[in-house]
Amino acid sequence: MIGEKLLWLLKAATLVVAYSTPARTGLADSVGELATQSRQLADAGKWDEARSVLEDRLSQVKDANPVARLKAELAHYAVERNTYFHKDDGWARAKIEDARVAAQAADIKQAFATLETAEGQLTYWYALEGSNEWGPPTSHLDRAIELYRELGDDAGLGEATFYRGLVFQMQNQNESARKVFDQALKLTQETGDERIRSFVVRHIGYLQEAAGQAEEARASFNESLELRQKNDMKVFVPFALILLADFEGEQKHSAKAIQYAEQAIQLAASGNSPRALYDAELTLAKLYFERGKTAEAKQLAEQSRTGAEAFGSAGDAKEAQDFLQRHP
């Protein structure tokens, strides 16, 4: 009798292992697929849909593991939204703190890795926009890189490595930046992550331009544009065009520069990319002013200032205002 009961328990345990492990794996895969879907929607300028994809699933799950991962992905989304759609540092910070509590409760490495990347991006922008404190993004991104390596997640590692290179680049540590960008480029090529590759080659182009390699830089900038167009990155295509406008303007190809800037304005407006829109307007204002089109330049600069104010960037609004004061 005891033997029969023991045999039954062993069979039951086997069934639990057989069915619960795939269930957990399937759930993890599902969260990963939702994260990818949300990021693609955000890239396409569908900000509300990108948020809903994550929040709808979050309202349906109770297990600490997917809750932590979904909240970490929402924090990542909040940082992207804060950067490109509407500046709201308080909301982004609240999402990060909420995700950190959930990640600590679940003690899940994947959630921590996503969260460290998100906080690394947020503190990177703080430093870039005026704090000049590069310690926080360095620490967050170094931790993200370590976690992704432990997880064997090369896609996440590629993203965190790219941002780590940015931190070097913005401190004018160009040799270190190039080394890290090359690592990130290799990772994106291996994983097929064309989204992050578009950022990597863009910033390699900056380094090539600084080194006087104009043709190489142009090729990198165009590659970034093509990757964004190919992957329906409507939010980011205008930024690629703005960069080409700035570059061709510096190369004294003003007609081509104006064409790029005008196209950037059109696509930013239709692609739900307000930061790119006011950036493109100021870029075109400067190019028009050089052509003697002062009335048009002033109108564009005023639109840029209004757009920057609506977005929430006092620094960018001031840049447009400074242009207007220099050219009354």
Side-chain angles (χ1 to χ4, degrees):
M1 192 74 170
I2 294 174
E4 290 179 2
K5 185 175 183 180
L6 180 59
L7 181 61
W8 182 86
L9 289 171
L10 286 171
K11 288 180 177 179
T14 302
L15 287 170
V16 168
V17 171
Y19 287 100
S20 66
T21 300
R24 290 192 204 102
T25 302
L27 188 58
D29 290 344
S30 174
V31 172
E33 290 168 4
L34 285 171
T36 299
Q37 182 184 355
S38 176
R39 294 189 187 198
Q40 289 173 342
L41 286 166
D43 285 348
K46 299 177 180 179
W47 295 100
D48 291 340
E49 292 95 325
R51 181 177 177 178
S52 294
V53 162
L54 301 172
E55 290 184 338
D56 288 350
R57 179 55 61 90
L58 185 59
S59 69
Q60 299 167 4
V61 298
K62 303 299 180 184
D63 187 77
N65 185 312
V67 166
R69 288 194 59 190
L70 286 165
K71 286 190 173 185
E73 192 61 36
L74 270 168
H76 188 284
Y77 162 84
V79 171
E80 292 280 310
R81 186 182 190 280
N82 186 64
T83 304
Y84 300 108
F85 182 64
H86 180 72
K87 192 169 179 61
D88 188 346
D89 290 337
W91 186 71
R93 176 57 64 185
K95 288 298 180 185
I96 285 174
E97 293 307 319
D98 185 39
R100 188 169 298 284
V101 171
Q104 289 170 342
D107 192 24
I108 175 170
K109 195 175 290 185
Q110 187 71 50
F112 278 119
T114 302
L115 186 57
E116 292 292 349
T117 303
E119 194 156 9
Q121 290 176 245
L122 185 65
T123 53
Y124 160 80
W125 281 99
Y126 288 165
L128 187 66
E129 292 176 341
S131 78
N132 207 36
E133 295 178 1
W134 296 104
T138 297
S139 297
H140 288 300
L141 292 167
D142 282 347
R143 284 197 291 270
I145 287 168
E146 181 181 356
L147 289 167
Y148 282 126
R149 282 177 177 157
E150 291 174 3
L151 289 163
D153 183 345
D154 285 346
L157 181 59
E159 181 183 21
T161 300
F162 160 67
Y163 279 102
R164 185 65 183 90
L166 269 189
V167 173
F168 279 125
Q169 187 175 34
M170 297 309 159
Q171 295 177 91
N172 296 315
Q173 299 175 24
N174 289 350
E175 185 176 343
S176 295
R178 182 57 192 263
K179 180 179 178 181
V180 175
F181 285 151
D182 286 343
Q183 292 170 2
L185 181 61
K186 185 173 185 293
L187 285 163
T188 61
Q189 290 169 337
E190 290 172 349
T191 62
D193 188 347
E194 294 184 339
R195 177 188 193 273
I196 296 299
R197 194 189 314 170
S198 80
F199 293 102
V200 176
V201 295
R202 171 188 177 94
H203 283 270
I204 287 176
Y206 279 122
L207 296 176
Q208 291 167 327
E209 183 181 11
Q213 301 169 339
E215 289 306 313
E216 292 88 342
R218 181 182 283 108
S220 293
F221 296 151
N222 275 300
E223 182 181 355
S224 177
L225 172 62
E226 290 163 6
L227 287 168
R228 294 176 180 194
Q229 291 171 327
K230 175 183 175 184
N231 288 280
D232 196 33
M233 298 170 67
K234 291 183 173 67
V235 169
F236 296 100
V237 167
F239 288 106
L241 291 166
I242 293 164
L243 175 54
L244 280 164
D246 287 335
F247 175 78
E248 295 298 351
E250 291 171 1
Q251 299 299 313
K252 309 303 180 185
H253 302 150
S254 61
K256 185 176 289 187
I258 287 172
Q259 182 181 0
Y260 280 131
E262 290 174 340
Q263 188 179 0
I265 289 173
Q266 293 174 352
L267 293 179
S270 63
N272 212 8
S273 187
R275 185 169 200 154
L277 178 57
Y278 72 68
D279 193 358
E281 287 168 342
L282 187 58
T283 296
L284 186 57
K286 294 173 182 177
L287 291 167
Y288 275 177
F289 183 81
E290 291 174 0
R291 282 288 190 93
K293 301 172 71 171
T294 56
E296 294 92 332
K298 182 178 179 181
Q299 182 180 2
L300 282 164
E302 289 172 344
Q303 291 172 194
S304 178
R305 179 184 60 194
T306 300
E309 289 171 346
F311 177 84
S313 176
D316 291 338
K318 183 178 183 303
E319 184 181 358
Q321 180 61 32
D322 288 346
F323 176 86
L324 288 166
Q325 290 176 344
R326 290 194 305 271
H327 311 294

